[in-house]
Structure formats: C-alpha cells, structure tokens
Amino acid sequence: MKSSQPSFSRPGVVSALLSHGQAVSMDCILMPSPSGFSGTDSGEVLPESVPSAPGTLPHFIEEPDDAYIIKSNPIALRCKARPAMQIFFKCNGEWVHQNEHVSEESLDESSGLKVREVFINVTRQQVEDFHGPEDYWCQCVAWSHLGTSKSRKASVRIAYLRKNFEQDPQGREVPIEGMIVLHCRPPEGVPAAEVEWLKNEEPIDSEQDENIDTRADHNLIIRQARLSDSGNYTCTAANIVAKRRSLSATVVVYVNGGWSSWTEWSACNVRCGRGWQKRSRTCTNPAPLNGGAFCEGMSVQKITCTSLCPVDGSWEVWSEWSVCSPECEHLRIRECTAPPPRNGGKFCEGLSQESENCTDGLCILDKKPLHEIKPQSIENASDIALYSGLGAAVVAVAVLVIGVTLYRRSQSDYGVDVIDSSALTGGFQTFNFKTVRQGNSLLLNPAMQPDLTVSRTYSGPICLQDPLDKELMTESSLFNPLSDIKVKVQSSFMVSLGVSERAEYHGKNHSGTFPHGNNRGFSTVHPRNKMPYIQNLSSFPTRTELRTTGVFGHLGGRLVMPNTGVSLLIPHGAIPEENSWEIYMSINQGEPSLQSEGSEVLLSPEVTCGPPEMIVTTPFALTIPHCADVSSEHWNIHLKKRTQQGKWEEVMSVEDESTSCYCLLDPFACHVLLDSFGTYALTGEPITDCAVKQLKVAVFGCMSCNSLDYNLRVYCVDNTPCAFQEVVSDERHQGGQLLEEPKLLHFKGNTFSLQISVLDIPPFLWRIKPFTACQEVPFSRVWCSNRQPLHCAFSLERYTPTTTQLSCKICIRQLKGHEQILQVQTSILESERETITFFAQEDSAFPAQTGPKAFKIPYSIRQRICATFDTPNAKGKDWQMLAQKNSINRNLSYFATQSSPSAVILNLWEARHQHDGDLDSLACALEEIGRTHTKLSNITESQLDEADFNYSRQNGL
C-alpha cells in the first residue's frame, strides 16, 4: 500500500502530538474539503472517535471492487481497514461528502484494534454526468496516527447489451463430409457478452464432440458434416444485463445419389435371331437425401444380341464304291456336313456307311474266296502300281528339298526384311547363340579355354536387367569374329504360324574374362556381329543424390532444385526474428529406399528437406513432381514419410481430410503444406486397369567406334523432370545427342507390354541388324521403371561413309494402348547436326532466393489481402471464397485451424505459380469476389522495387 502524510490546517500542533503518541481529540481536526486538505471555513468537524494504537498505518481488509450499474439501481462500494481513525471515499479526484458515508466500527478480538468499515452509494446519474478521459472511479483513503493509506481504484460502469447482433448466422446447404462454418458476431455490450450456440434449442458442447469447434471468434465450425448435423442453429449472447438470441440458421446436410453396381446382362430376349439384352443399376449407393442431386446417367443399358438358330445336319452325297476287298465286299461312305449340325441342331438320320457284295454273288466258289484262284497276271499288275507310286513320291520330295535350298541361299545375307513397319506384326523374337569353336583369339586370356559344359540361357525381352547379361551383350569384342557365333532366329513367318522355339546361349563364363570399370562407355557391336545392341542404364556411374542449400531468415524465401520440378517455399515469418537456418534439399537418385507393397508404385522422387530439428511457426510448401495421370477414379495416391528408423509411414491420402498437413494435386506436381522437415515421397495404388502413368519417351544418338555404325538409344522414363535429368546427365557423359523433342506416352496399368520399333529406314543408305528392328518390354519392367530408367538401343550401319543423313521413325506403343512416333531427321556429323536443347528453360538461375524477391505477390498487397479476407463476412466473401476461386475446394478445415487462413492460401498460390507468377488470375479472382479493388496485374516493376525497399526498411534491413 502506498501511504503519504496528510496536510492538515494545523500541521505543527497535530504533527507534534502524533509524534509523541498522545491522544488527540478529533474535534481539533477538520474534515478535508473536496479540493484537498485545507483549513477553510467551509470545513466540517469530523465526528468524535477513539484513536487507534499509535505507530500503525491503516491496512485494508477489504477494498472496493469494480462494479456495474444495472438499469437505474445504484451500487454500493465498501472498504474496511484497521486500525483506522477515519475512512473517506474519493471519486474522480474529488472527496465524497461526509454525509454520504455510512460508517461502522468494530473491535478485532485477536489484535484489539479498531476496525472501521465504510459504505457509499453511486447512482446512475452520477456516472452519466461524469465526462472524463477514463471511466468513473472511486478510491478509499484511511487515516491512522502514523499516516494514510490508499486503496485500489474501483471503476464504475453502466452495464448494457444492445439488442441487435452485428452478424447473424446464415443458413447453409452442404454435402455430407463437407465443412460447415457459421459466423456469429454478438451485440455490443458492457461487460462483453458470452456466446453460446444452440442446436434445436439444445446447448452445444464442443468438448464432447471433437468434430465441432466453437473457439474461433465465436464462430461454429463443423469439420465434417454428418446427417445428424442438420438442424436449426441459434447464437445466444448474455451478460449481467440481458440475454439476446440471434436469428436461427437452418443447416441442411444433403447426400448426392450414387449408382450401384451394374447387374449381370440378362439373357437375349429371343431364342433365334437378333434381339437385345439389358442390365440395370439403381441410385442407391447412396440414395439422394435432403435434396441431394440424383444420379446422372442411365439406369438401364441395352445392347443388341444375336441368338444363333439351330441348324439340322444333312448328308453329303455318297462317295464312290471302294475296291473290292478280300471278303468280296466294297463300301461307300457319306458325311453329315451339308450342312453339319450347329447350335443344337439334329444330327443326320440314317447310316453313314454302306457295304455290299462286289461280285453279284459270284465271289464264293467251293467255299473259297475268288482271289485264291485268280491267275498270276493279276498279282503282277498290282505290284507295278505300288512301285510306280513310291517312285513318284521320292521325286516330289527331292524337288521340294532343292527348292528350299535355293530359297535359303537367295536369302543368306539378311534372311527376313524387318526394316519396314511390317516388323511390328512379328512380335518379339528370341535368339539362340551356340559356340562352335574351342577357342576365341580375342578373349583377354587366350590360354584359358572355354568350358563348353557351362551354359547360360536367354529367353525374354531384348532389354535386359541382369548386370551380367548386359555385360555379355555389350562387350562386342568377346564375340568377334562372326564365325564364332551361330545365330538361329525364328522368322516372322514362323511367328505368324504360332511356332515358337526356346533360344539358348552356350558359351564361356569365367570371372576373369569380362572387363569391369566405372568409366565404361557405350559399347558398340562390330558390323559382322548380328546380335542386337542392348544396354541398361544401370551400367553407368550415377550420382546417388542431388543437393542444394540456402540460408534463410525471418523474411523467408524459396529453394529450387534446377530442372527437377522440386522446390521449397519458406513463408515470411515462418522463422522467428533474429534467427537464421541453413536449409537443404536433396533428391535420392540411387535405388529407392521405399519398397512398394502389393500393387503400389512409386510416383515421385524421394525428396529430403531439413534440418529435421528446425521448427517453423507457419507451414512451408514442398513441391514434388509426379508421373500419374491424376484421376481419383483410377488412383489412390498417398503421401509417405520416412522415419528416423528408415521405415516409411503414410502421412495421409491425397483425398483425405486432415488438419496436420495439406496436399494439393496438380496434373504434374503435388504441393504439400507441412510443419516438419524430413524425407517425403508419393506412392499410388491403381484402383482400375485405366490407371495411367505418364512416361517421357526420347531418342538419343551417337557414332560408335566403327565409323560406319550409328547407335540409337530410346528411353522411356517417368514423366518427372528429375528422372529425365538423370538420363540427360548420363547422355552428356557418353557424348549422346538428343535427336527429337521428347513426347508423353500414356501407359495404362492393363498388364500389356511395350513395343519399341525402328521404321522407314532408307533401304539403300542404311540397314539394321536382322531381327532387331522391334523390341518388346514386359509390363512389369515399364510399370516400375522408377527403379531403373528403361533403355533400349538399336545399331544401324551405313553402306558407305558418304552417307551423312539419317531419317527414320521410332514407334513406341503399348499393346492395346497409346502410341507415339518420334521422327528422327539428323546429320551424323557433329558439325552439321542441329542441337536440340534438353530443357526449354532453367528453373532458376539462383537456386536459393531470399526475402521479398522470392515471392510473386508484394508484401504490402499480401497484408491487405489477409486483413480483408481473414475477417468473417455476412455474405461469405471471406477466406473460404478466396480458396474456392483458387481451385481449393477440399479439406478446408486445415485452413480454418490456421491463425491466418488467407496467408496459408496465398503461400499455396505462390508454390503453384513459381514459374508463371500469374498475377492476372489472382487479380481476377479478387475482383470476382468483390472485396478488393487491388489491380495486381497493373503493378509495375518500379512499384515492386519500391514496396520491397519500404518493407526492408521497416524491418530494419
């Protein structure tokens, strides 16, 4: 307590008496005037009182409390102190008249001190007549022998509650599992009113229902609407004066209808001829409720059908009679084929064979057959006929053998022409390589003789995966000269007849025979070697990680991995002031650590951002490219994170509702709002066979060590920039040249394989090795191509060195699927070749951008947008409308839990538009909402620089 020595009209006498501790009669002390303690004639003598114990300052047992005047009822202020000679109230700096005080005295039994308690009344009129800079206030002042003590100031205000709400809740119709936000702004009042929500006149307790939140600025938020949430909602506001009710808002949760599965097709409605059959479905999965839309489409489907009519069989004409048998009988037959019985028709009636005596009864003589007594001339005639037939057969076989031999000699150079597009009909060819000599002078160790008992069998696609297979096929020096190898290949004629033959390769397999090394380039095949050129990228030295870093502070910024589609946006204010972090981002280019489960496939690179111990106050945006053709009907896409133990856990499904993170799936990238750093990746589970992966197909070419050979390499990789960049890096290392702009191939998950063919090669200028113009890749190898980039190669040979131009087509197609044609038109000479750039543009000249320059929206305009849209609006023109105009239509509960929903929406906009910075679309969205007149599209460069400068100056930069 703060005390001060009062100034009396007779200071010398009173002070002297008090200092000696003597009792002083109270009739010697004057009551202070309203203007202070002054001994004027207007002062009144205080009532007589027994003085308290000397030497003790007054101590307040009870001080006046803040009070509200309700209607016209006065309020009583009271205070109690001990020991106290007198207690008076002072209101608004003026003393309250003694006659307005009600005083009581008592004795404290424990201490023996006098206790004084004083009351005053304050009326509504007194408070209304006061016009000061602050509220009406009163304070107690107590006296003792030693001095005075003052109590706390108690404010007195007139309580009220206005009748009308500043904003009444508005009725809504929302789909099931949608988010409901009802706004309520209570009427102005003193003290401030407390808000309570009623549903159908029953109070709502948000603590018992986690789906309901009433903490956000008196608003009612239902995160996922249920059918039971339909009803009439009322907002109530109450204080000590009154209780008000808002207008009721009717909320209707509706369910749109969904089709059930189709029934089986009915039987054809006719037994014979052309008719129809049908199937049906019902709008009961679910049935529409509360005004929900009925199912779109037909409930019944009909197709034509043809029921085959039964056809009764009929006999063919009788055959000729056979020769007479030893039993003196001959016979004839007929078949039931004119027509044969079909579709349940009756078989022919009657016998299919007849026999009769062939000698008109003259065959039997003395009980012996006639042939036993026939003359010798008959036997000689029969032998001559037999030998004549055998001779004719031998001549026919000899002629056939000679014809086949001559045909094979005429086709000995290149047996079957597969250069034109007819090669596609031949399917995938298998090969059989067999060693016929005991040694090879070109082996690294000639003294080591091959072990003919060891063999390796190759059967399957041309594009191999096994590393030893690739070495065997690419090290051409091991198989030269050509006389060491016999190639046995099925012709396209045999394939068309369905004749297959398993191919085998028998050769030497010594560990020291094959060279190894990290610097091995693209091997080439000697012109005499007829085997296909095959290689997989796994033989190349590859980096296991792409990495970039940047230092960021309170201003935020953007970290970009050039030409990979991966970026990280750190919003302004996400890092506390006076702090800075070195943030890194990397892409795994080695073997993926995420092992797919079941039908799940990896759709994106594994992206790591850190440091993991860093804590942000605002969600950051991570952009990850993917290769899925986005459709919720065909894909179930998940975001996964790797734990510290190396295991992968699912964070969320892209279609799920969550308040921990947010995923926005664009056609080629996924933008994720996160609160913690780590390693993330996207996986997809195909729901139907129509699920599509987007593949990027490209063709590269380079000269081989043999001046007449030219190698074409065709890649099919996931359509992500980082996957193609890996191919480009390897091609640059190998001296490859991009021959045609890459194209997109839509590869369906229908288990059908991929065919790659070389077509339309100039016949008199170039030739391709036999039976290598078409290569086929299994479905599983393409579908999981993120493990290793798919790569097939073709070796072409010029007839003469003067040929410098190459023109052909590369056809990449999925059986029963999409097809792309790459038109190759290039010069094989380095000086004449037209360069095709690998990437249309660089993502960023500077991977790390910090401060305002990293953002498309100027900071001052961003603040105005947030201040405008974060405030609820009766017409719904708030942050939810801003999200809708920016194609953000799901999981809005995530933004509702943020301190500034508009700021998080704008961060997501920045992440989506890092390349185009399409301020025009954002300006149009704001103008459509009608809440702001900001012309973002008209901002000049000088205005942006000025805004950045002002912002930096305000923040002490």
Side-chain angles (χ1 to χ4, degrees), residues 284-301:
T284 56
N285 186 31
L289 291 175
N290 298 336
F294 196 79
C295 304
E296 296 182 359
M298 299 184 299
S299 61
V300 177
Q301 278 187 346

Side-chain angles (χ1 to χ4, degrees), residues 381-418:
S382 177
D383 292 341
I384 293 173
L386 175 62
Y387 290 129
S388 299
L390 290 175
V394 170
V395 172
V397 171
V399 171
L400 180 61
V401 170
I402 294 172
V404 171
T405 303
L406 293 176
Y407 175 78
R408 293 187 63 182
R409 288 182 178 179
S410 66
Q411 302 293 329
S412 59
D413 190 11
Y414 293 105
V416 180
D417 183 11
V418 292

Side-chain angles (χ1 to χ4, degrees), residues 165-367:
F165 279 71
E166 294 185 9
Q167 181 180 3
D168 289 302
Q170 303 292 322
R172 296 287 178 90
E173 292 184 358
V174 295
I176 192 168
E177 296 185 355
M179 189 175 71
I180 303 173
V181 179
L182 298 180
H183 300 283
C184 175
R185 298 180 66 183
E188 180 184 353
V190 175
E194 295 183 358
V195 173
E196 184 181 23
W197 283 91
L198 305 177
K199 176 190 173 185
N200 298 331
E201 303 303 323
E202 295 292 333
I204 297 176
D205 188 357
S206 60
E207 295 182 356
Q208 296 182 358
D209 192 345
E210 296 181 352
N211 195 38
I212 298 177
D213 187 2
T214 58
R215 297 171 296 175
D217 196 20
H218 307 307
N219 297 329
L220 175 67
I221 299 177
I222 301 178
R223 296 185 178 90
Q224 287 186 327
R226 302 157 295 192
L227 289 176
S228 59
D229 292 323
S230 298
N232 296 320
Y233 289 82
T234 307
C235 178
T236 64
N239 64 3
I240 60 176
V241 179
K243 184 175 183 179
R244 311 292 187 203
R245 291 169 55 95
S246 70
L247 298 176
S248 293
T250 301
V251 173
V252 177
V253 180
Y254 62 86
V255 179
N256 292 325
W259 289 113
S260 65
S261 300
W262 288 102
T263 62
E264 296 293 332
W265 288 103
S266 65
C268 201
N269 67 327
V270 295
R271 298 184 60 185
C272 176
R274 188 178 181 86
W276 53 265
Q277 56 185 151
K278 67 178 181 178
R279 64 177 181 174
S280 62
R281 57 181 179 175
T282 57
C283 189
T284 56
N285 186 31
L289 291 175
N290 298 336
F294 196 79
C295 304
E296 296 182 359
M298 299 184 299
S299 61
V300 177
Q301 278 187 346
K302 288 186 178 182
I303 58 173
T304 59
C305 59
T306 301
S307 295
L308 299 177
C309 298
V311 177
D312 295 337
S314 180
W315 292 112
E316 286 279 1
V317 297
W318 287 104
S319 64
E320 296 293 332
W321 287 104
S322 65
V323 296
C324 200
S325 69
E327 288 80 17
C328 302
E329 288 186 346
H330 61 178
L331 56 86
R332 64 178 182 177
I333 60 174
R334 61 179 178 178
E335 295 180 351
C336 188
T337 58
R342 295 192 305 269
N343 309 324
K346 296 179 180 180
F347 196 80
C348 302
E349 295 181 358
L351 298 176
S352 62
Q353 178 175 315
E354 282 185 349
S355 64
E356 64 179 18
N357 192 291
C358 55
T359 60
D360 293 331
L362 299 180
C363 180
I364 302 303
L365 181 63
D366 295 333
K367 305 296 183 179

Side-chain angles (χ1 to χ4, degrees), residues 461-465 534-538 695-698 700 713-718 723 726-727 745 747 753-756 775-793 812:
I462 292 294
C463 298
L464 303 177
Q465 302 181 46
I534 304 165
Q535 183 144 352
N536 190 291
L537 278 177
S538 60
L695 303 180
K696 179 171 289 187
V697 295
F700 291 79
R713 295 182 290 276
V714 182
Y715 293 87
C716 297
V717 298
D718 290 348
E726 182 180 354
V727 172
L745 180 73
F747 191 79
S753 59
L754 185 74
Q755 279 189 349
I756 305 175
Q775 302 183 17
E776 188 168 342
V777 187
F779 168 82
S780 59
R781 177 72 176 90
V782 183
W783 192 247
C784 301
S785 59
N786 45 44
R787 301 292 176 183
Q788 290 289 344
L790 177 63
H791 163 220
C792 292
I812 304 102

Side-chain angles (χ1 to χ4, degrees), residues 483-764:
S483 57
D484 288 350
I485 299 295
K486 285 188 177 180
V487 182
K488 182 178 181 181
V489 184
Q490 300 169 207
S491 68
S492 58
F493 174 73
M494 295 174 66
V495 174
S496 65
L497 294 177
V499 180
S500 61
E501 182 175 322
R502 184 171 182 83
E504 296 181 350
Y505 165 76
H506 301 279
K508 190 170 181 178
N509 189 14
H510 291 290
S511 60
T513 303
F514 306 104
H516 296 274
N518 292 332
N519 297 322
R520 185 174 72 247
F522 283 98
S523 300
T524 57
V525 183
H526 194 275
R528 292 178 298 168
N529 196 338
K530 305 302 183 184
M531 65 179 294
Y533 175 81
I534 304 165
Q535 183 144 352
N536 190 291
L537 278 177
S538 60
S539 63
F540 301 147
T542 58
R543 291 168 292 177
T544 60
E545 187 180 81
L546 282 176
R547 185 182 178 94
T548 184
T549 61
V551 179
F552 298 88
H554 183 68
L555 299 181
R558 193 190 303 268
L559 189 62
V560 178
M561 192 84 71
N563 294 328
T564 64
V566 178
S567 65
L568 181 67
L569 181 75
I570 308 297
H572 173 274
I575 301 176
E577 293 189 32
E578 301 180 357
N579 286 353
S580 62
W581 287 84
E582 181 180 10
I583 299 177
Y584 64 84
M585 187 168 59
S586 63
I587 301 176
N588 178 21
Q589 285 194 305
E591 184 71 15
S593 60
L594 196 160
Q595 300 299 323
S596 302
E597 300 177 357
S599 60
E600 190 178 58
V601 293
L602 186 63
L603 298 178
S604 76
E606 297 175 2
V607 179
T608 302
C609 54
E613 66 273 10
M614 178 179 169
I615 300 176
V616 293
T617 58
T618 303
F620 62 88
L622 178 63
T623 299
I624 305 176
H626 65 82
C627 61
D629 190 357
V630 180
S631 174
S632 59
E633 298 178 357
H634 307 309
W635 281 106
N636 188 9
I637 299 178
H638 307 272
L639 175 68
K640 291 195 173 183
K641 181 180 180 181
R642 188 171 62 191
T643 63
Q644 294 181 351
Q645 293 75 25
K647 297 182 179 179
W648 285 86
E649 295 180 350
E650 181 176 334
V651 179
M652 67 174 295
S653 175
V654 172
E655 296 298 324
D656 285 348
E657 300 283 332
S658 172
T659 57
S660 60
C661 65
Y662 187 89
C663 288
L664 181 61
L665 201 62
D666 279 346
F668 299 103
C670 182
H671 311 281
V672 190
L673 296 176
L674 299 165
D675 294 322
S676 61
F677 291 93
T679 302
Y680 297 90
L682 290 175
T683 63
E685 183 180 359
I687 302 175
T688 68
D689 290 346
C690 295
V692 171
K693 277 185 63 175
Q694 294 181 342
L695 303 180
K696 179 171 289 187
V697 295
V699 56
F700 291 79
C702 73
M703 291 290 295
S704 67
C705 57
N706 187 319
S707 60
L708 294 179
D709 281 2
Y710 191 77
N711 295 323
L712 294 178
R713 295 182 290 276
V714 182
Y715 293 87
C716 297
V717 298
D718 290 348
N719 184 32
T720 57
C722 48
F724 188 61
Q725 189 187 38
E726 182 180 354
V727 172
V728 169
S729 177
D730 290 325
E731 281 293 332
R732 283 174 175 166
H733 179 72
Q734 303 298 330
Q737 176 73 24
L738 184 64
L739 303 181
E740 172 68 355
E741 288 288 344
K743 294 184 179 181
L744 285 184
L745 180 73
H746 299 285
F747 191 79
K748 288 185 178 181
N750 56 9
T751 71
F752 286 100
S753 59
L754 185 74
Q755 279 189 349
I756 305 175
S757 308
V758 181
L759 310 176
D760 301 338
I761 298 176
F764 301 106

Side-chain angles (χ1 to χ4, degrees), residues 75-101:
I75 55 98
L77 298 179
R78 56 184 291 179
C79 64
K80 182 189 297 185
R82 68 179 179 191
M85 297 166 54
Q86 279 292 353
I87 299 177
F88 289 98
F89 273 91
K90 191 177 187 180
C91 293
N92 302 319
E94 297 181 357
W95 294 101
V96 178
H97 198 276
Q98 181 181 4
N99 294 338
E100 299 179 12
H101 291 73

Side-chain angles (χ1 to χ4, degrees), residues 28-39:
C28 297
I29 303 177
L30 299 179
M31 188 186 91
S33 63
S35 61
F37 291 94
S38 61

